[in-house]
Structures are given as structure tokens and as C-alpha cells.
Amino acid sequence: HTREGCRYVGGLPGVHAMFAGCDFHWHKVIARNDEISSEVYLKDLIEHQTRFAGRSIQQVYHVAFYNQAGDPLADADTWCFRTDRDVAREQGTKYDAVKEREEVHYGPEDLDAIYRLYADESIRGTLPRYWEDVRIGDQLPTMVKGPMTVTGFIAYAQGWGGLYIRANKLAWKMMRQHPGTAIPNRFGIPDCPERVHWEPEFARMVGAPGAYDYGPERCSWFSHLITNWIGDDGFLTALQTEIRRHNPEGDVIYLDGEVSGKQQKDDQHLVHFNLLAKNQRGELSARGTASARLPCRA
């Protein structure tokens, strides 16, 4: 659902679209062999003034998912910001300080500390976490992602079903059917428009500090953080995420969560969370809130 709800919003000449957030609500477990359909409509267009690109338009879509019986599975608002590429490149000030920094470098000890968090990542699995045992203020174990690499950006785009990453005959067929997707590279070869994410010179053309990640991945990271903690008997019911900055190549992202509340609603026992994702400099990458249903001992 997170992948499908955060899909592409279509290209416009000279206008860049950057994914900026989602507000998901899940209603029902997806069973094996379920057939899923969706309905999507443009919900809103909201004008903003930003440091990144001046006048920007927040484009909000609503998507609803159903199974073969017509039962609602999930629904979400997802949004991107439409920005003028030239204004972002020439007048945007958000990343001025970032562009002046020296490139980050990791030594063996730095990498060992990062990889230790990977090695210690705890997955609750089949051990139930009961609602009665949870306390407001409980901290979720820190989750790490990165260091960010171009390989990682491309791997995510492929895994979530990137539309434009094709090669050889498959690329030729797509570009023949959709000529607007063929953007010449420095050799004059028509190439993938998503190079804006992984070639620094193209990234800077849209105002980004360098090669950078895909925003929807952070929604997945937050859901990963929650589902690791609640276990197999828990059910993630809601996730709201705001993307606050690009994650450029070289950054490491640390994700943290805290139990912010507990609630009994009808026959559901819910736990609420506040979520933060920061890079190695402590700069805010994303923030969010979530809710999950947990089993009871009674």
C-alpha cells in the first residue's frame, strides 16, 4: 500500500515534483490471494512559499484500496510539491550551507558503529507485545539506514517498481511509446529521467545538494520501525509522515520512536507513536506519527 499510494504524479515540462508526505490508514488485513483494486483522485492544490524554490504547489492525491469483495483495506492522502526547476536551482536557499560543506567520509570505526545497529536490530516476530505492558514514554530501539549510496537509491526505485529504469530493448520500447521520457545524457544517448536522483549535476539542476534518495522510502522505514516493535500479532493502523529534506549520498539516517499515548476505542486497544528521522549531523530528515493495534492479555 505504501508503495502504491506514493506513486508517480506525472511529468510537467520545467516543473519538478518532489514527494513530501503521506497520511495512511489501514482497515483490514490483506489475506493471501486477495485481489486489490484502487481508486485515486486529485484532492487538493495548495500554494506555498518555500526556501527551496519560492512559490510551490502542494499536489494532494487521495487513494483508496479494496479487496475483491469490495471491503476497504486502506486509504491515504499522499502529496508532492511542484517546483520550478530554474527557481530552485538559481534562487533556492535551503541547501546553501550543505553545498559549502566538505564531503562526509567514514572510517572503519564509523562504519562499525553503524553496522552494529544493523546487527542489533530487534524484530519482535511471534512474541506478542501486549497493550497492558506498554507505557507512555517507552522508546523504540534506534533503527539505522545508510550510509546513503547511489546503488541504494537505484535499488529502492527498482524494488518499488520504478517506471523508467529500463535497459536496451525495453528502454527503446518505452522511449518509442513515450518520447518525453528520453532525456539525452552527456554522450547524447537518450536515458532515464530519474537520473536526477543519482547524478549530482542533474540533482543540482533541481536545487538538491547532490545525488539524493526517494522520499517514499522514509514512509517505509517508519512502518518498518513500528512493525519490528509491535510483532506479528500487532497491526499498524495509521502512519503520517512529513519529508523535511533530501537525504543526499553519504548521509546516515537514524530513526527513533516514542510511545506518545494509549487508547481503547471500541474493541481496539491502540498505541500511538511520535517518530523522528535525523541524519548524522542531527538535521531533521522526516517526522511522523503512527498508531497500532495490540493484543490484550485479557
Side-chain angles (χ1 to χ4, degrees), residues 21-70:
C22 68
D23 186 4
F24 261 90
H25 297 268
W26 288 272
H27 310 302
K28 190 172 183 178
V29 171
I30 301 172
R32 185 181 182 186
N33 296 326
D34 270 358
E35 295 181 5
I36 301 173
S37 61
S38 61
E39 296 178 355
V40 185
Y41 63 85
L42 177 62
K43 182 177 181 178
D44 208 350
L45 295 171
I46 307 168
E47 183 174 341
H48 297 266
Q49 288 295 324
T50 69
R51 288 189 298 129
F52 180 74
R55 179 174 176 263
S56 299
I57 302 298
Q58 183 181 3
Q59 183 175 338
V60 184
Y61 278 90
H62 184 79
V63 56
F65 299 91
Y66 304 92
N67 65 15
Q68 65 276 8

Side-chain angles (χ1 to χ4, degrees), residues 187-202:
F187 303 108
I189 302 168
D191 203 351
C192 176
E194 289 191 48
R195 293 183 351 262
V196 68
H197 275 276
W198 57 74
E199 291 189 11
E201 63 270 24
F202 280 89

Side-chain angles (χ1 to χ4, degrees), residues 73-281:
L73 296 175
D75 62 81
D77 288 344
T78 68
W79 54 90
C80 71
F81 276 84
R82 293 285 191 178
T83 62
D84 185 299
R85 290 172 181 159
D86 292 339
V87 173
R89 180 180 67 250
E90 298 169 7
Q91 301 179 27
T93 62
K94 182 172 182 176
Y95 293 106
D96 285 352
V98 176
K99 294 173 184 176
E100 294 175 359
R101 295 173 182 161
E102 293 185 5
E103 288 188 349
V104 64
H105 180 79
Y106 296 93
E109 292 183 358
D110 301 315
L111 294 174
D112 284 346
I114 295 167
Y115 296 156
R116 194 173 305 119
L117 286 174
Y118 279 127
D120 294 342
E121 187 173 307
S122 176
I123 301 174
R124 188 76 177 184
T126 58
L127 179 64
R129 186 181 296 278
Y130 293 106
W131 184 81
E132 294 93 336
D133 298 336
V134 175
R135 299 289 179 266
I136 294 174
D138 283 352
Q139 302 291 314
L140 279 61
T142 297
M143 177 181 285
V144 69
K145 298 294 180 182
M148 301 287 107
T149 64
V150 170
T151 301
F153 304 156
I154 298 172
Y156 178 73
Q158 284 287 74
W160 87 320
L163 296 177
Y164 308 114
I165 306 174
R166 314 282 179 88
N168 304 314
K169 187 175 182 179
L170 292 177
W172 167 76
K173 289 174 67 176
M174 181 189 70
M175 291 184 290
R176 184 182 62 172
Q177 295 172 352
H178 307 283
T181 64
I183 301 177
N185 63 20
R186 68 181 186 276
F187 303 108
I189 302 168
D191 203 351
C192 176
E194 289 191 48
R195 293 183 351 262
V196 68
H197 275 276
W198 57 74
E199 291 189 11
E201 63 270 24
F202 280 89
R204 285 190 283 270
M205 286 177 63
V206 299
Y212 64 99
D213 68 330
Y214 290 79
E217 191 169 15
R218 277 168 266 182
C219 305
S220 302
W221 292 345
F222 277 148
S223 65
H224 185 190
L225 179 69
I226 297 294
T227 53
N228 271 5
W229 192 80
I230 63 176
D232 296 346
D233 291 327
F235 182 76
L236 180 63
T237 61
L239 174 65
Q240 189 272 340
T241 303
E242 295 178 10
I243 309 302
R244 304 306 301 173
R245 65 190 299 116
H246 296 86
N247 289 338
E249 183 181 15
D251 271 10
V252 178
I253 308 302
Y254 298 92
L255 298 102
D256 290 287
E258 178 181 87
V259 175
S260 60
K262 296 176 65 177
Q263 181 185 15
Q264 295 185 53
K265 184 178 180 181
D266 300 326
D267 61 342
Q268 299 186 71
H269 292 75
L270 301 173
V271 176
H272 306 297
F273 305 88
N274 288 328
L275 307 168
L276 285 177
K278 295 184 177 182
N279 66 16
Q280 72 279 5
R281 298 186 180 91

